[in-house]
């Protein structure tokens, strides 16, 4: 009987591309057709109601009750016209994936007559109970209810006949249990702080919104092979697998011609995404074989964030139609690149002006420097918060692995901007208090746009890089909800911006002119954030040394980086900007520890199972043939020739025994450590035990299993090998 692996390979040989044609109309004609966007609203709502909604959204106030009923009615008509039968509040609990609980539009009148119904109440609020989601102890039994509440700033959409309404998810007592709530709170915080600074330059600016352009990496693997790998099926990563003789050494996959099966998948993904109003723009092969990336045009951060979660939902869904499984895990395969997400972030004033772009006038360039240095200062003061915002068991496998940014946070701004800041700092180093920009001989503020045009040097090794008109945070994990790094960034930059305007105002009270006060504050911030700027190779050992000297943190894993969540400085800043209460932070801390523990626990179990049930029996089977062979040789050969010629066979038999026994003892010890860890009471201690006592066995066990993979007869090996998983047919 053939093993699963060979049955799967046979299936793969039969695969043909599943052809997808783009619709005959232009993408712009069906873009957003499955979303209840402003155009649809205008079409379905009475004029007055539409105007009222627009105003309320614009001003960020609660939408009036009377209008809500009209919107619900409009949404229902629209959804029914698109064939929807159900609706759901779509929310982002702390599991990391989105949640939905569908209700039918069908209702019964008092007289028993069936009708379709969707009222304002169903739109605004739901009580999905949802008591099994992580709450970090926030929801005790007496307050176990969780509510979802409509976020009118992100358009509702239809997937698979269900109207999905983006919502926040909070407890009965108003504490957030999701990612969206703190993101929205942080967007409000940075709006207020950024407007204050922007007004110093242009009094007409009254609204600043962070923007987010994400880049999403993922792997595609044939579904037949996937189902032959229990580890992929359960955790989306391979726990064993010897590296393929060829993988990414030649960089021939990166930006290469896209495989036909993958292109068809991407076409369908784009069509679906565009219908859902996700402005996908870019697609390409990534570095590792089987790895790809997609990226949209950037949008306002809250909507962009929803769109990233949606794309993480539809990528796997469409992949299945093409006989693929999409792996979003940060590290599906050892030894080759893992997957990340780049969060490109900027600040847009009054809808259109990018505050991270230098302008044509000296005033605009000073404004540019103000926002750049405030970002540097925020990141410098709170680098550990940014670090923990992207910490997870999955991302731990990737960060610092010479394929992804290290765990040390630093900012790359390019040589031109660096020398501009160094010029500005010179006066400070001379001990001058305030000196006019003109007096700094080598710096001409008006020249900044030109020097930046030149700014082609890009440092791909930096975790946080200025790329001409935005900062790109590259340490985010591919499965993560990008809101986590975004609410941290918004909050820490909000504080820096507040400090900026406070400092300018203070100087002006001391009769310093406004321009001088601004210039001096830029200088101050530049000096105070020196430690975070790094232009060199972030993958090098020298940087690790240098960063240590500078006092930057270097937390190699989640459990080491977590402590900062509970520090007073963290509680203070999040409470100050009303992003988290202390209780919410403590809950998140516990949830983070718990999900880390569970993740390692599951990986450890699957490793044990595979090792004992798949690998060892296969090794023994092969070893038996070697033993039989040796016995046979002994029969046909004379003693002398036998002992000369059978050395290798005998050695192989011994090696296999050694590997089997090493695997067994390591699995046993790992299980012992797990038992010990499980007895620990605090979430924190447990996570630490899993990280420091259980996880180290992973490498040990894998080492011997991968050695066996090289020895055992290929025909017996039960798990699809890396060369089969990585290269597409
Ligand atoms: P890369 O070289 O890193 O692939 P690209 O120029 O292709 O960079 O852009 C990557 C992402 O940056 C895209 O998603 C794009 O929409 C986004 N982006 C561009 N400008 C901004 C901005 N002002 N704010 C946020 N994201 C932006
Ligand atoms: Mg990028």
């Amino acid at each position: 009987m053939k093993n699963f692996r060979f049955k799967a390979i046979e299936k793969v040989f039969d695969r043909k591309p599943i052809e997808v044609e783009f619709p005959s109309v232009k993408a712009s004609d069906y873009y957003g057709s499955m979303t209840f966007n402003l155009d649809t609203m205008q079409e379905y709502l009475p004029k007055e109601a539409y105007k009222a909604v627009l105003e309320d959204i614009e001003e960020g106030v609660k939408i009036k009750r009377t209008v809500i009923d009209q919107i619900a009615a409009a949404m229902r008509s629209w959804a029914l016209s698109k064939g929807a039968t159900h609706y759901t509040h779509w929310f982002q609990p702390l599991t990391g994936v989105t949640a939905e609980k569908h209700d039918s539009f069908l209702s019964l009148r008092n007289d028993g007559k069936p009708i379709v119904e969707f009222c304002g109440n169903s739109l605004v609020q739901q009580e999905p109970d949802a008591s099994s989601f992580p709450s970090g102890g926030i929801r005790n039994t007496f307050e176990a209810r969780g509510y979802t509440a409509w976020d009118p700033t992100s358009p509702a959409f239809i997937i698979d006949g269900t109207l999905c309404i983006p919502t926040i998810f909070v407890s009965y007592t108003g504490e957030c249990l999701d990612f969206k709530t703190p993101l929205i709170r942080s967007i409000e915080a940075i709006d207020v702080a950024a407007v204050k600074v922007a007004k110093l330059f242009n009094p007409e600016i009254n609204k600043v919104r962070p923007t987010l352009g994400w880049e999403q990496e993922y792997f595609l693997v044939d579904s037949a092979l996937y189902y032959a790998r229990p580890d992929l099926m359960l955790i989306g990563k391979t726990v064993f697998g010897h590296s393929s003789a060829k993988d990414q050494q030649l960089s021939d996959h990166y930006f290469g011609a896209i495989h036909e099966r993958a292109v068809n998948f991407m076409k369908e993904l784009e069509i679906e995404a565009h219908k859902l109003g996700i402005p996908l723009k870019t697609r390409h092969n990534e570095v590792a074989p089987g790895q790809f990336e997609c990226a949209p045009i950037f949008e306002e951060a809250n909507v962009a964030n929803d769109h990233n979660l949606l794309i993480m939902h539809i990528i796997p869904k469409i992949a299945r139609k093409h006989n693929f499984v999409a792996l979003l895990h940060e590290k599906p395969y050892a030894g080759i690149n893992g997957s990340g997400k780049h969060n490109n972030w900027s600040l847009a004033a009054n809808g259109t002006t990018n505050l991270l772009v230098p302008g044509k006038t000296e005033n605009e360039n000073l404004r540019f420097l103000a926002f750049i240095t405030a970002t540097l200062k925020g990141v410098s003061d709170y680098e550990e918060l940014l670090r923990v915002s992207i910490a997870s068991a999955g991302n731990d496998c990737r960060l610092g692995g010479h394929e992804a940014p290290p765990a040390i946070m630093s900012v790359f701004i390019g040589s031109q901007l660096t020398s501009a800041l160094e010029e500005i700092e010179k006066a400070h180093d001379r001990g001058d208090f305030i000196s006019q920009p003109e007096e700094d001989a080598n710096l001409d503020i008006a020249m900044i746009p030109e020097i930046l045009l030149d700014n082609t040097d890009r440092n791909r090794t930096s975790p946080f890089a200025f790329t001409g008109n935005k900062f790109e945070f590259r340490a985010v994990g591919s499965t993560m909800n990008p809101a986590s790094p975004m609410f941290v960034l918004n909050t820490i930059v909000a504080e820096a911006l507040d400090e900026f305007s406070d400092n300018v105002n203070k100087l002006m009270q001391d009769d310093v002119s406004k321009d001088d006060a601004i210039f001096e504050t830029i200088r101050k911030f530049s000096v105070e954030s020196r430690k975070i700027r790094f232009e060199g190779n972030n993958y090098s050992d020298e940087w690790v040394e240098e960063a240590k000297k500078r006092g930057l943190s270097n937390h190699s894993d989640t459990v080491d980086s977590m402590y900062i969540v509970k520090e007073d400085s963290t509680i203070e800043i999040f409470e100050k900007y009303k992003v988290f209460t202390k209780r919410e932070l403590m809950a998140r801390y516990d949830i983070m520890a718990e999900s880390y523990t569970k993740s390692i626990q599951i990986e450890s179990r699957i490793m044990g199972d595979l090792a004992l049930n798949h690998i060892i029996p296969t090794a023994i089977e092969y070893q038996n043939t070697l033993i039989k062979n040796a016995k046979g040789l002994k029969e046909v050969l004379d003693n002398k020739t036998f002992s000369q010629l059978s050395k290798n066979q005998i050695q192989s038999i011994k090696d296999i025994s050694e590997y089997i026994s090493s695997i067994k003892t390591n699995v046993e010890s790992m299980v012992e450590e797990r038992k010990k860890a499980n007895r620990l009471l605090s979430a924190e201690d447990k996570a630490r035990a899993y990280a420091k006592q259980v996880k180290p066995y992973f490498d040990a066990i894998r080492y011997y299993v991968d050695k066996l993979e090289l020895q055992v007869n290929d025909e017996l090996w039960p798990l699809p090998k890396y060369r089969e998983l990585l290269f597409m047919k």
Side-chain angles (χ1 to χ4, degrees), residues 286-388:
E286 257 303 330
V287 171
Q291 191 186 27
F292 306 91
E293 179 183 301
C294 65
I297 299 164
F298 70 93
E299 301 172 281
E300 180 278 312
N302 178 35
V303 173
N305 204 77
D306 282 356
H307 283 166
N308 182 251
L309 289 162
L310 248 183
I311 210 84
M312 290 199 284
H313 174 77
I314 62 175
I315 285 176
K317 188 177 124 185
I318 291 168
R320 279 193 294 274
K321 287 199 195 172
H322 291 261
N323 300 313
F324 287 128
V325 172
L327 307 174
L328 293 174
H329 195 283
E330 280 81 7
K331 195 73 184 174
Y333 306 107
I336 56 169
N337 280 17
S339 295
K341 179 144 45 202
H342 292 180
N343 278 15
N344 294 272
W345 172 93
S346 187
L347 292 170
N350 287 358
T352 47
T353 309
N354 184 346
L355 294 172
L356 295 183
V357 173
K360 293 185 191 67
T361 61
E362 193 172 310
N363 181 50
E364 283 169 350
N365 290 336
L366 268 186
R367 183 181 74 193
F368 164 72
L369 289 176
F371 280 93
I372 290 284
T373 49
T375 308
L376 287 169
K377 175 102 165 72
V379 176
S380 178
D381 289 351
Y382 293 98
E383 45 100 2
E384 285 188 272
L385 268 189
L386 212 51
R387 167 68 184 93
V388 80

Side-chain angles (χ1 to χ4, degrees), residues 215 293 342-344 458 460 467 470 472 474:
E215 300 164 59
E293 179 183 301
H342 292 180
N343 278 15
N344 294 272
R458 283 216 182 177
R460 306 302 305 186
T467 52
K470 62 191 188 280
E472 181 172 356
R474 302 180 177 131

